[in-house]
Each structure stands twice: as structure tokens, then as C-alpha cells.
Amino acid sequence: MSRTLAIRGLIAAAALATPLLAVGPAQSAPVPVAPNGTVTSVSGVNERAYPSTDAKVTGQPLKYRAPIGLRCKVRAQNIGGNDYWYLLRARPTWVAAKYVGTVGSVPFCRSVNRSALEDTPATRAAMG
């Protein structure tokens, strides 16, 4: 009888362990990389309230080779053959893409969800 119990115990243990062995490591979906940029203009680049050189400059210019997080892009005023402008991730200001080298794909602003803080008439007008 003890031999039968021992065999049943081994069978039960094998039955419990088999599903665990059959399941491989969990596959995770690739995490999208937030787009980043680096200022490429030796003289730096101005952050602006809207995607235009007519818009007010906000703060100090970003320095050469400064890393910046990018939220999205729009087509606006053409600067030296480039009509894209980037909205920064850290604050609601714009920089001309002409002066920024990017890493990662920058989505158009229409495909980016806005937070309640960004949902102002001025931001909606700038984002298209």
C-alpha cells in the first residue's frame, strides 16, 4: 500500500509540475520608446509659445547638444526648408525641427492624447 501511495504521490507531483514546465517565459509587448532629440544648432534654439518665429520666445535658448524630450510634431512655418516643429515633453513649448536631431519616431500631434492641463484654446489652435 505504501508503494501505491508513493507512486500516486509522484504522479500527482508530476501532474502539478507539468503545466508549469510547459509554460515558457512570459512574452512582453515591446514598449514604445519616447522620442528624444538633441539641439544641433551651435547657437542653440529658442523655445516658442507656438510653432512660429512670430511667437513669443519663452525662457532661455536651449544650448547646443542639449538633450530634449519630444512629445509630437506639427507642420507649420518653414525654417530653412524644414516645416516641422516639435512640442516638448517637459513643457508646452515648441522648437523648430530644423535645429533638432531626433532619436525615435515623433508622432503627429493629432495622434497624441492631450491632458486636461493642455486642453486650452491656444494649445488646440497650435496642435491643429
Side-chain angles (χ1 to χ4, degrees):
M1 187 96 152
S2 64
R3 182 169 184 201
T4 305
L5 290 176
I7 292 173
R8 285 184 184 168
L10 288 173
I11 292 172
L16 289 173
T18 301
L20 296 175
L21 295 175
V23 175
Q27 299 265 340
S28 62
V31 177
V33 176
N36 291 301
T38 304
V39 176
T40 58
S41 172
V42 177
S43 60
V45 65
N46 288 321
E47 291 182 53
R48 296 194 178 266
Y50 304 102
S52 169
T53 56
D54 293 334
K56 177 183 171 188
V57 173
T58 60
Q60 297 294 317
L62 295 170
K63 295 184 179 185
Y64 177 59
R65 294 191 179 169
I68 51 176
L70 305 173
R71 182 176 181 90
C72 59
K73 65 184 174 186
V74 295
R75 286 189 160 190
Q77 181 183 14
N78 189 309
I79 306 294
N82 188 330
D83 61 354
Y84 288 108
W85 286 71
Y86 297 127
L87 177 62
L88 300 186
R89 202 175 327 133
R91 51 199 167 272
T93 56
W94 298 86
V95 293
K98 169 75 176 169
Y99 307 115
V100 178
T102 61
V103 176
S105 177
V106 182
F108 280 96
C109 291
R110 289 181 185 260
S111 62
V112 174
N113 292 330
R114 298 181 203 134
S115 73
L117 295 175
E118 297 169 329
D119 198 17
T120 65
T123 303
R124 285 192 302 273
M127 289 183 160

